[in-house]
Amino acid sequence: MSPWTTQEALSTRTQLLEGATFLRRTLVPSLIQAYLHNQAQQNRDAALFETALCYLPDSDPRKLPVEQWTLAWCGPRDLREGVGMMEAIFQRVCGRDYSWQSEEAVWDAVQPGVTIKHADKVIGWCGLISDRTKQSWKIDSKLLVGEICLDALLAHVQVIPTLQPLPAFPSIQRDLNLIVDETLRWQS
């Protein structure tokens, strides 16, 4: 499952983790594993977040994969909460003038789902884990998952101006010189 690409995951000869022979195209499976650990500990309200790189294969197999910086989350939430959270992130980071479109997305693992696009490029997605996927992973409640491409989001960031304190001893912009008679005292 990867909403970012339809190409197969890239394999590696050097395993960084035991049994991990493929570079991940999405962060969601590792978050679901962490959620399942919390579920086994009876912590069913856990909402998990992760930022990491996803490795998306290039259309040219001779090129290195695209390393996409991604924010992912999962938790027992409703789809409306997930879309609202994404909209809040977009507005806080990019300002109210940032526009996007949401489309219904259909994947085997996530139903219903929503894809968020900006300028016809997918910048985020979220959805509820499908019943079939919940059964295969042994998830016992509804589970919202989603991802945002931070690279695409931060390309449109609006930096919030911050207050700079006035200096205690301001610099002099102009020097004023007066010419007076020598007999004139400074006290006068």
Side-chain angles (χ1 to χ4, degrees):
M1 172 186 88
S2 176
W4 306 111
T5 182
T6 56
Q7 295 179 355
E8 292 294 319
L10 298 170
S11 62
T12 178
R13 292 185 188 139
T14 308
Q15 297 179 12
L16 298 177
L17 298 171
E18 186 175 332
T21 57
F22 294 98
L23 298 176
R24 61 186 182 172
R25 299 173 298 159
T26 178
L27 307 180
V28 169
S30 61
L31 278 176
I32 292 175
Q33 287 177 338
Y35 181 80
L36 289 172
H37 175 76
N38 280 285
Q39 177 181 293
Q41 304 301 319
Q42 303 303 316
N43 186 6
R44 299 190 190 307
D45 293 333
L48 307 173
F49 298 85
E50 178 182 3
T51 59
L53 292 174
C54 291
Y55 299 93
L56 309 177
D58 194 273
S59 57
D60 183 357
R62 296 173 299 199
K63 289 187 177 179
L64 291 173
V66 176
E67 296 180 7
Q68 175 180 290
W69 189 31
T70 306
L71 165 67
W73 65 88
C74 79
R77 302 290 186 265
D78 189 65
L79 181 60
R80 291 175 297 162
E81 291 178 272
V83 173
M85 179 177 64
M86 290 173 66
E87 289 177 354
I89 290 171
F90 295 150
Q91 287 181 354
R92 292 285 251 175
V93 174
C94 302
R96 296 201 182 276
D97 296 334
Y98 185 71
S99 64
W100 64 88
Q101 304 85 33
S102 60
E103 298 177 357
E104 187 174 335
V106 180
W107 300 300
D108 291 339
V110 179
Q111 292 175 353
V114 175
T115 301
I116 307 292
K117 291 183 175 183
H118 174 72
D120 291 330
K121 183 177 185 326
V122 175
I123 57 170
W125 66 273
C126 70
L128 293 170
I129 296 291
S130 67
D131 291 335
R132 195 175 101 223
T133 306
K134 285 196 305 189
Q135 288 174 353
S136 67
W137 282 71
K138 297 183 175 85
I139 300 169
D140 62 5
S141 64
K142 69 177 179 180
L143 185 63
L144 176 78
V145 294
E147 293 180 321
I148 293 176
C149 174
L150 291 176
D151 294 325
L153 185 69
L154 295 178
H156 301 281
V157 71
Q158 281 189 348
V159 180
I160 299 171
T162 56
L163 177 68
Q164 298 294 326
L166 293 174
F169 304 101
S171 62
I172 297 173
Q173 298 296 325
R174 290 189 176 155
D175 193 11
L176 183 63
N177 292 316
L178 300 173
I179 300 174
V180 295
D181 291 337
E182 207 171 307
T183 59
L184 184 66
R185 295 178 164 229
W186 65 271
Q187 295 172 338
S188 301

